[in-house]
Amino acid sequence: MKAKIWSDSISLKFNKILKAKIDHLHRMLPLEESARARARLKSCSGVGAQWMAALPTGPKSMFSDEEFRLVTRFRVGLETNDLQFCPHVSADGVQCESECDSLGYHLQQCPTGGGYFVGHDTVCAEVADLAGGSEGIPGVVVDWKPQVAAWPRATRGYEADVGLFHIPGERDIYLDGVLSLANPRTYRGCENKAGKVAELWSRRKNAEHPVFDRNTGRRLQPFDFRALAFERHGFIAKETAALIRKLASIKAAHFELEPSEEIRRWYVAVSCCVQRANAKILKGEAVPGRGTSVPSRLLVGGRGDLALGGA
């Protein structure tokens, strides 16, 4: 017991020393660079960093050499490109005229390049495949729907929600995904709190997809909604992490697998998926590719909203 107390105290001491050294390095940077570095460090934390420790044992945990080099440099705050101007061209042929930063922040947030849709489609498709793919939860049906009548809204022709149906013991679930960059320029205060941006978008997505009456608390819909909210550097929103744990546990129970190992496998697959989406955008393609992120076996009723269903 005394040895454990001693080792814990030593570990705590070294953690404090390391934190003090990191804080000192941040204070030496110009104010804007310091805020960006602190936001990046916090955004890299949590279970969304599983991709760094993952072994490339299959397609879900593999990167090409170029992809791994790009996302690793992005993670540690090194230059990812030498572009002077943004190469993005919108689907309508409109060229982005913004200057490009070497860290890739503009590429990640450029509305012309479609990075939002690349991230949205990629993470939705990955979770859908884990839950309802060939090696997913038995009985679960996945569908991309063009629009859900409960939430009428303009989708700009691209945005989609995913539906998961017939989940054992659960209600049907609609999902909507978002990847956001923890950048203090656009999200003030994200350098002071880990997950601030992911949690913000999780709340926004829930506000856009109400399931309960905000005044009475009465259930309005027979199904549930969950946000798939991630930060570009890896942080996963609490609601998203809870959904991943629940679905992975359901699969583990059915196949008599070790729950913690199956949950870890899902975290690895999803975190690697997020980073592959980052790499696609950081390559600076003129028109980021779309349409390959949704496995054809998951397309029941065409592209659109995605939902998961329960019995």
Side-chain angles (χ1 to χ4, degrees), residues 203-278:
R203 292 192 298 272
R204 286 181 179 178
K205 288 297 180 183
N206 276 279
E208 293 173 357
H209 302 80
V211 174
F212 296 92
D213 186 281
R214 296 176 183 174
N215 297 320
T216 65
R218 182 175 61 88
R219 175 175 283 275
L220 301 174
Q221 312 299 340
F223 44 78
D224 287 328
F225 171 82
R226 294 292 183 272
L228 301 177
F230 304 86
E231 292 181 6
R232 293 283 180 183
H233 284 100
F235 196 95
I236 303 177
K238 293 177 183 177
E239 177 182 351
T240 307
L243 175 67
I244 292 172
R245 291 194 299 270
K246 175 183 283 188
L247 295 176
S249 297
I250 290 173
K251 179 184 174 182
H254 186 276
F255 290 106
E256 297 183 353
L257 304 173
E258 173 58 40
S260 61
E261 177 58 25
E262 185 62 16
I263 292 170
R264 186 198 65 81
R265 192 181 74 83
W266 282 49
Y267 279 144
V268 166
V270 173
S271 63
C272 287
C273 162
V274 169
Q275 297 308 316
R276 282 193 295 269
N278 283 343

Side-chain angles (χ1 to χ4, degrees), residues 36-89:
R36 186 169 55 204
R38 287 185 286 126
R40 173 180 53 79
L41 192 62
K42 285 180 168 54
S43 186
C44 286
S45 63
V47 293
Q50 286 283 339
W51 68 275
M52 284 295 293
L55 295 176
T57 55
K60 290 187 179 300
S61 59
M62 292 177 67
F63 297 89
S64 69
D65 290 346
E66 182 185 12
E67 288 173 338
F68 194 80
R69 180 171 61 253
L70 276 173
V71 295
T72 301
R73 293 181 68 87
F74 181 62
R75 176 182 172 85
V76 299
L78 297 178
E79 295 182 355
T80 61
N81 68 86
D82 57 2
L83 299 171
Q84 185 176 0
F85 297 100
C86 179
H88 286 159
V89 179

Side-chain angles (χ1 to χ4, degrees), residues 13-289:
K13 180 179 179 180
F14 275 106
N15 282 337
K16 289 182 177 179
I17 293 174
L18 181 60
K19 185 177 184 302
K21 288 182 177 179
I22 292 174
D23 289 341
H24 175 67
L25 290 173
H26 285 161
R27 286 195 295 271
M28 293 173 63
L29 294 171
L31 188 59
E32 183 175 349
E33 289 185 31
S34 174
R36 186 169 55 204
R38 287 185 286 126
R40 173 180 53 79
L41 192 62
K42 285 180 168 54
S43 186
C44 286
S45 63
V47 293
Q50 286 283 339
W51 68 275
M52 284 295 293
L55 295 176
T57 55
K60 290 187 179 300
S61 59
M62 292 177 67
F63 297 89
S64 69
D65 290 346
E66 182 185 12
E67 288 173 338
F68 194 80
R69 180 171 61 253
L70 276 173
V71 295
T72 301
R73 293 181 68 87
F74 181 62
R75 176 182 172 85
V76 299
L78 297 178
E79 295 182 355
T80 61
N81 68 86
D82 57 2
L83 299 171
Q84 185 176 0
F85 297 100
C86 179
H88 286 159
V89 179
S90 74
D92 298 323
V94 178
Q95 172 76 50
C96 177
E97 299 179 352
S98 300
E99 293 185 0
C100 216
D101 64 284
S102 61
L103 298 178
Y105 275 43
H106 172 76
L107 291 175
Q108 293 285 11
Q109 295 183 294
C110 177
T112 303
Y116 172 85
F117 302 115
V118 172
H120 172 280
D121 287 5
T122 302
V123 297
C124 283
E126 188 66 34
V127 173
D129 190 49
L130 286 168
S134 59
E135 298 181 1
I137 303 169
V140 170
V141 176
V142 178
D143 191 11
W144 292 72
K145 294 183 174 292
Q147 193 176 57
V148 179
W151 306 305
R153 57 194 169 93
T155 63
R156 291 177 290 176
Y158 292 103
E159 189 175 0
D161 292 330
V162 181
L164 302 181
F165 304 98
H166 309 306
I167 307 171
E170 300 291 332
R171 294 179 185 270
D172 295 351
I173 305 176
Y174 281 92
L175 310 173
D176 195 8
V178 58
L179 267 66
S180 49
L181 180 64
N183 183 357
R185 274 191 173 186
T186 48
Y187 300 101
R188 293 180 59 184
C190 65
E191 70 274 22
N192 299 319
K193 184 178 180 180
K196 182 183 178 72
V197 181
E199 299 299 344
L200 170 65
W201 275 102
S202 179
R203 292 192 298 272
R204 286 181 179 178
K205 288 297 180 183
N206 276 279
E208 293 173 357
H209 302 80
V211 174
F212 296 92
D213 186 281
R214 296 176 183 174
N215 297 320
T216 65
R218 182 175 61 88
R219 175 175 283 275
L220 301 174
Q221 312 299 340
F223 44 78
D224 287 328
F225 171 82
R226 294 292 183 272
L228 301 177
F230 304 86
E231 292 181 6
R232 293 283 180 183
H233 284 100
F235 196 95
I236 303 177
K238 293 177 183 177
E239 177 182 351
T240 307
L243 175 67
I244 292 172
R245 291 194 299 270
K246 175 183 283 188
L247 295 176
S249 297
I250 290 173
K251 179 184 174 182
H254 186 276
F255 290 106
E256 297 183 353
L257 304 173
E258 173 58 40
S260 61
E261 177 58 25
E262 185 62 16
I263 292 170
R264 186 198 65 81
R265 192 181 74 83
W266 282 49
Y267 279 144
V268 166
V270 173
S271 63
C272 287
C273 162
V274 169
Q275 297 308 316
R276 282 193 295 269
N278 283 343
K280 188 177 187 67
I281 299 165
L282 290 171
K283 288 177 184 178
E285 298 174 359
V287 182

